[in-house]
Amino acid sequence: MNVTILYFARIKEVVNYSSEQVSLPDGVETIIALKSWLSGRGEVWKKLFDGSSVVRAAINHELVDELATLDEGDEVAFFPPVTGG
Amino acid sequence: MNVTILYFARIKEVVNYSSEQVSLPDGVETIIALKSWLSGRGEVWKKLFDGSSVVRAAINHELVDELATLDEGDEVAFFPPVTGG
Amino acid sequence: MAHADAWHICVQAEPFEVGQELNALQQATPQAGAIVNFIGLVRDQFSPSEASNAGADNPDTGKGSLEAMQIEHYPGMTEKALNAIAQQAAARWPLLGLRLIHRIGRLEAQAPIVLVATSSLHRQAAFEACAFIMDYLKTDAPFWKKEIGPQGEHWVEARATDEQAKQQWKHAQ
Amino acid sequence: MAHADAWHICVQAEPFEVGQELNALQQATPQAGAIVNFIGLVRDQFSPSEASNAGADNPDTGKGSLEAMQIEHYPGMTEKALNAIAQQAAARWPLLGLRLIHRIGRLEAQAPIVLVATSSLHRQAAFEACAFIMDYLKTDAPFWKKEIGPQGEHWVEARATDEQAKQQWKHAQ
């Protein structure tokens, strides 16, 4: 399954990506599974998703929780709690 | 005791006064006594103070209740509930 | 409270320019993070009459288009009442500044009547203080409105909901 | 809702002129009796850091004067989030019109960041809807602020009080 992932704010700076297209292996079908899979990339990624700081997720512009499922072509975004206004 | 009485809004139109200076007889020393004394002037005054509509009072620019006492030289005002803003 | 002109309370016949007033408040309170502003306008319809009063002066009260509003006040008491309300708000919330302008005299439909603008570090204080000042102004400041339309005029009735709005602040906190 | 331009939601880098925005809202909603407006400004001080984060990026975070704020957002999602918030407000209060403008990019100290203006017949709806929109914007709209000062920069931390402010609307009514 192919998805686009966007990163914003502090997370974008930490991972040094603003966006990427990835092919997910079978079984990576939820936000939490995606976080787990990305954590395998190395120390920076592991620390990002280890729960020590809040990382919010959106699928196709809608805020979702950890158990939300991914579909082919989805736009996933990871970002810190928002601070606008 | 001499006091100045001011009338505002609907009450001013009803009594046809905007202000007057009056010499109060002995015993007229509170707002309620003043209302009662003014009611003796005739039908219009009686109806004004008969309780069928709310008449607020101020003494020297402070809202007061019926039992507030009057002093020589006070500025008393009678007016309907306020409707600013 | 750094600037003397951060606090401005005024009763005037002249129109005010909202943008100008808000810029003045912002410039007088450079630490502000939040400014909340209320503008009360002359509606273009007569306000509903109380049942007890409907049609007493004028069969057309309660409906029809409004041409203008005449606002009377009690000079001397008005200024004291507005200052007292502002002081209560300042005692309750950490305000940096305030602008409170109420117009008097004849105002055409859609004209602004009143402006209340509060400046604070954070939004909650600015919102609450602005609403508080309006609620108290509605019940404590000696202004009276008369609506004027093509078929007559009538005094606006005080609304029980305004008294209730004020009472809620006494129960809060 | 008589005028198409009574509802205006915009994300922009350009400054806005508060007086102009309020006049536009007033003209688009001629029946309005009340307009409430919130302006959020770039403060001239760094915001306090969370204890867990203090000094992580910069020993000077949490104090000192601020030069500017950089505001990032998520194009596409931002507009949807703001529209969804406005629709929730319109479903809950009888609004005649709304202006919601949020700036992005680099903003200097004291510059306006956000404007929310609500128009209604009566003040309570306008006050509540304006506060509601700000509370939801603070937690649901994908904007992120970075503060920039003479000795460095740091991302603003989300405040727990903002989440609490939003939750209160779910219990109300």
Side-chain angles (χ1 to χ4, degrees):
Chain A
M1 175 161 60
N2 299 293
V3 300
T4 302
I5 311 181
L6 308 184
Y7 305 92
F8 291 97
R10 188 199 299 276
I11 292 174
K12 177 174 69 183
E13 295 180 352
V14 166
V15 303
N16 219 12
Y17 275 101
S18 64
S19 76
E20 59 176 325
Q21 302 228 334
V22 294
S23 284
L24 300 179
D26 286 351
V28 179
E29 292 167 355
T30 60
I31 291 292
I32 196 159
L34 176 56
K35 284 181 172 180
S36 171
W37 182 72
L38 288 169
S39 296
R41 287 177 167 179
E43 208 44 51
V44 162
W45 294 86
K46 196 169 171 181
K47 186 165 183 314
L48 176 61
F49 291 122
D50 70 1
S52 60
S53 61
V54 177
V55 177
R56 299 230 189 278
I59 299 178
N60 301 329
H61 298 154
E62 296 283 347
L63 268 176
V64 296
D65 64 27
E66 302 261 282
L67 300 179
T69 55
L70 301 169
D71 285 313
E72 174 67 26
D74 276 353
E75 177 175 303
V76 181
F78 289 115
F79 45 78
V82 305
T83 56
Chain B
M1 176 163 59
N2 298 292
V3 300
T4 303
I5 312 180
L6 308 184
Y7 304 92
F8 290 99
R10 188 200 300 275
I11 292 174
K12 178 174 67 183
E13 294 180 353
V14 166
V15 303
N16 220 10
Y17 275 100
S18 64
S19 75
E20 59 176 325
Q21 304 226 336
V22 293
S23 284
L24 301 179
D26 287 352
V28 179
E29 293 168 353
T30 61
I31 291 292
I32 195 159
L34 176 58
K35 284 181 173 180
S36 171
W37 181 72
L38 289 168
S39 296
R41 287 178 168 181
E43 209 43 51
V44 162
W45 295 86
K46 197 168 170 182
K47 187 167 183 312
L48 175 63
F49 291 122
D50 71 1
S52 60
S53 60
V54 177
V55 177
R56 298 229 190 280
I59 299 177
N60 300 329
H61 298 152
E62 298 282 347
L63 269 176
V64 295
D65 63 27
E66 301 261 282
L67 299 180
T69 54
L70 301 171
D71 285 312
E72 173 67 27
D74 275 354
E75 178 174 303
V76 180
F78 289 115
F79 46 77
V82 305
T83 57
Chain C
M1 309 193 190
H3 297 244
D5 54 349
W7 297 86
H8 176 76
I9 297 177
C10 186
V11 178
Q12 63 186 46
E14 299 71 33
F16 49 80
E17 186 54 61
V18 179
Q20 215 168 294
E21 299 300 330
L22 292 176
N23 285 341
L25 178 60
Q26 194 188 328
Q27 278 159 30
T29 61
Q31 325 92 299
I35 289 177
V36 170
N37 176 50
F38 173 84
I39 309 164
L41 303 151
V42 179
R43 278 188 291 273
D44 57 5
Q45 300 286 311
F46 275 89
S47 61
S49 299
E50 298 292 324
S52 64
N53 194 52
D57 300 331
N58 169 1
D60 200 38
T61 54
K63 52 184 175 177
S65 64
L66 185 147
E67 281 173 3
M69 185 88 89
Q70 184 74 30
I71 303 186
E72 182 177 335
H73 79 127
Y74 181 176
M77 180 170 170
T78 312
E79 292 77 4
K80 285 186 196 171
L82 295 180
N83 273 295
I85 293 167
Q87 280 170 24
Q88 284 179 77
R92 196 158 167 167
W93 291 280
L95 294 184
L96 297 166
L98 167 72
R99 290 183 96 74
L100 199 178
I101 303 174
H102 201 298
R103 293 178 66 195
I104 51 173
R106 184 185 165 99
L107 308 181
E108 306 302 313
Q110 296 172 34
I113 304 168
V114 59
L115 175 143
V116 179
T118 50
S119 168
S120 191
L121 274 179
H122 298 291
R123 72 187 184 285
Q124 198 191 355
F127 265 116
E128 290 185 359
C130 190
F132 172 96
I133 289 167
M134 274 309 301
D135 285 345
Y136 273 70
L137 187 155
K138 283 271 183 184
T139 60
D140 288 12
F143 294 102
W144 301 275
K145 285 182 190 146
K146 182 187 262 185
E147 295 175 333
I148 302 166
Q151 291 165 48
E153 50 186 61
H154 83 127
W155 291 100
V156 173
E157 295 289 323
R159 305 193 320 160
T161 52
D162 285 331
E163 184 60 34
Q164 289 156 13
K166 173 186 161 186
Q167 293 303 325
Q168 281 169 2
W169 293 106
K170 301 193 172 169
H171 302 309
Q173 292 235 18
Chain D
M1 307 193 190
H3 297 243
D5 55 350
W7 298 85
H8 176 76
I9 297 177
C10 186
V11 177
Q12 64 186 47
E14 297 72 34
F16 49 80
E17 186 55 60
V18 179
Q20 215 168 293
E21 299 300 332
L22 292 177
N23 285 341
L25 178 60
Q26 194 188 329
Q27 277 159 29
T29 61
Q31 326 91 298
I35 289 178
V36 170
N37 175 51
F38 173 84
I39 309 163
L41 303 151
V42 179
R43 276 187 292 271
D44 57 5
Q45 300 284 313
F46 275 89
S47 61
S49 299
E50 297 293 323
S52 64
N53 193 54
D57 301 329
N58 169 1
D60 200 38
T61 54
K63 51 184 174 177
S65 64
L66 186 148
E67 281 173 2
M69 184 87 90
Q70 183 74 30
I71 303 186
E72 182 176 335
H73 80 127
Y74 181 177
M77 180 170 170
T78 313
E79 293 76 4
K80 284 185 196 171
L82 295 180
N83 273 295
I85 293 167
Q87 279 170 25
Q88 285 179 76
R92 197 158 166 166
W93 290 279
L95 294 183
L96 297 166
L98 168 72
R99 290 184 95 75
L100 200 178
I101 303 174
H102 201 298
R103 294 178 66 194
I104 52 173
R106 183 184 166 99
L107 307 182
E108 307 301 313
Q110 296 172 33
I113 304 168
V114 59
L115 176 143
V116 178
T118 50
S119 167
S120 191
L121 274 179
H122 298 291
R123 72 186 185 285
Q124 197 190 355
F127 265 116
E128 291 185 0
C130 190
F132 173 97
I133 289 168
M134 274 310 302
D135 285 345
Y136 274 71
L137 188 155
K138 285 270 182 184
T139 59
D140 288 13
F143 294 102
W144 301 275
K145 284 182 192 148
K146 182 187 261 185
E147 294 174 335
I148 301 166
Q151 291 164 50
E153 47 187 64
H154 82 128
W155 290 99
V156 172
E157 297 288 325
R159 304 192 320 160
T161 51
D162 285 331
E163 185 60 36
Q164 290 157 12
K166 174 185 161 185
Q167 293 304 325
Q168 281 171 1
W169 292 107
K170 299 191 172 170
H171 303 311
Q173 292 237 16

